[in-house]
């Protein structure tokens, strides 16, 4: 039987990983086997580790987006199928990627029709940047080209899913959904909280639908798209933490996040997403995030542990020079670790600006 392929779009930090982890648990509770595929421009993914630490079978496509690594995506899904026999594949594309209907969904439907049954394509709406971008306020902290990507992501959605509704009172939520509805008329609108689970029955119901979905092929200018992506500085680093005495992993992650947020303010670069995962050698883990320059650093998943050694992975996506970003990450991690008697050894570190997307396939019209 064909495997259900569920891809969830949305801007950097919109809540894709949190949403997919919740959906995975819901599918499992209904007796369905789940496999997850993550994706990033570089190696050492916080998201892969976050999913695996929660016990989910996860494969990753690192180094470029799904659209440019389409064959890798199919191969990773194949590896999951061989090992896990999943009923559902959950796929998380890079949050700065768009045109996924033309480059991933349509080719999967056309070339792999017997293997996959592609679900409707929902895109998460990130309120912190989204409200400013849709109101045409100075591009939500980003340049108009990065804002262009944000809007194009929503334009190709079968449904727009407003996330983080736990943070809104009813009047503010009404205003936000009215704004989204006006900009994307006729597109079904869902309201969820990936944190609390509110609205997820409706999301699951949408994902189970069959019909003419995944057909909103964008009219898109790849020069603007590439320029918008290239404005983002990307940093992935993996660091070994060791100490002579136990240290509070959650407190250290919090201090690093606050230090990085302050460094980004000094650099003047809007934060798209700063994320960290700390893991001890026994599998306990903590995740911390900052999703915009005006939201507080948050320990999203706490470990409650005080190890003497741990691995730290830092993924930063900030509208600034990647070399400066890398220097700040190295400085902040070293300083915050030193302050609590922890030695930080950088094992790998990659900083880059995403290259121009060159999709493996692009369907100009829906099949
Ligand atoms: N309050 C609140 N926070 C949320 C919700 N959903 C996600 N978050 C938080 O938002 C942050 C980013 O969530 P992720 O799930 O990592 O976002 P993402 O879209 O996967 O990010 P990238 O993979 O970097 O693009 C984390 O701190 C989450 O805990 C929500 O519904 N409510
Ligand atoms: Mg993610």
């Amino acid at each position: 039987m064909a495997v259900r392929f569920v891809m969830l779009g949305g801007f950097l930090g919109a809540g894709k990983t949190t949403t997919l982890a919740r959906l995975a648990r819901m599918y499992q509770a209904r007796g369905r086997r789940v496999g997850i595929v993550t994706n990033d421009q570089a190696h050492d993914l916080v998201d892969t580790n976050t999913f695996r630490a929660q016990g989910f079978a996860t494969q990753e496509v690192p180094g470029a987006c799904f659209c440019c690594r389409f064959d890798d995506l199919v191969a990773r899904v194949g590896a999951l199928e061989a090992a896990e026999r999943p009923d559902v594949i959950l796929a998380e594309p890079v949050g700065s990627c768009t045109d996924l209907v033309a480059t991933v969904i349509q080719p999967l439907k056309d070339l792999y029709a017997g293997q996959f049954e592609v679900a409707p394509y929902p895109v998460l709406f990130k309120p912190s940047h989204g409200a400013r971008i849709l109101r045409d306020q100075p591009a939500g902290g980003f340049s108009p080209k990065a804002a262009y990507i944000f809007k194009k992501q929503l334009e190709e959605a079968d449904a727009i899913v407003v996330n983080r509704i736990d943070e809104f009172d009813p009047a503010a939520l009404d205003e936000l959904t009215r704004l989204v509805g006006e900009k994307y008329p006729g597109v079904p609108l869902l309201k969820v909280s990936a944190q609390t689970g509110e609205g997820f029955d409706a999301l699951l119901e949408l994902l189970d639908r069959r019909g003419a979905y995944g057909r909103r092929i964008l009219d898109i200018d790849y020069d603007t798209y590439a320029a918008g992506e290239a404005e983002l500085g990307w940093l992935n680093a993996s660091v070994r933490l060791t100490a002579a005495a136990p240290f509070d992993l959650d407190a250290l992650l919090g201090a690093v996040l606050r230090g990085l947020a302050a460094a980004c303010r000094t650099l003047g670069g809007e934060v798209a997403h700063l994320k960290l995962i700390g893991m001890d050698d026994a599998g306990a883990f903590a995740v911390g995030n900052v999703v915009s320059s005006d939201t507080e650093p948050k320990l999203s998943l706490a470990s409650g542990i005080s190890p003497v050694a741990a691995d730290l992975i830092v993924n930063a996506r900030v509208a600034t020079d990647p070399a400066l970003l890398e220097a700040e990450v190295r400085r902040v991690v070293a300083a915050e670790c030193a302050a609590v008697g922890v030695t930080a050894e950088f094992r790998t570190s990659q900083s880059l600006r995403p290259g121009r997307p060159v999709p493996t396939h692009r369907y100009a019209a829906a099949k």
Side-chain angles (χ1 to χ4, degrees), residues 333-355:
V333 169
E336 296 301 340
C337 286
V340 292
V342 173
T343 303
E345 181 204 341
F346 274 74
R347 294 200 156 157
T348 59
S349 182
Q350 275 184 286
S351 58
L352 53 96
R353 291 188 189 278

Side-chain angles (χ1 to χ4, degrees), residues 11 96 98 133 139 142-152 221 223-231:
F11 198 66
S96 57
T98 187
I133 288 173
F142 295 110
S143 80
K145 287 175 182 163
Y148 176 82
I149 295 174
F150 192 103
K151 292 178 184 168
K152 285 290 167 191
D221 173 2
D223 291 337
T224 308
Y225 171 20
E229 258 200 309
E231 284 170 5

Side-chain angles (χ1 to χ4, degrees), residues 249-261 276 332 336 340:
L249 183 65
D250 298 344
L252 179 55
L253 257 58
V256 170
L257 269 185
R258 286 190 296 278
L260 289 177
L276 313 174
V332 169
E336 296 301 340
V340 292

Side-chain angles (χ1 to χ4, degrees), residues 148-167:
Y148 176 82
I149 295 174
F150 192 103
K151 292 178 184 168
K152 285 290 167 191
Q153 289 178 333
L154 298 173
E155 202 180 308
E156 62 177 334
D158 285 320
I160 295 176
V161 184
V162 175
N163 189 27
R164 301 180 78 112
I165 62 171
D166 54 286
E167 294 182 320

Side-chain angles (χ1 to χ4, degrees), residues 16-17 47 92 273 275:
K16 297 178 293 297
T17 300
D47 291 355
E92 179 179 347
H273 196 184
K275 50 186 174 177

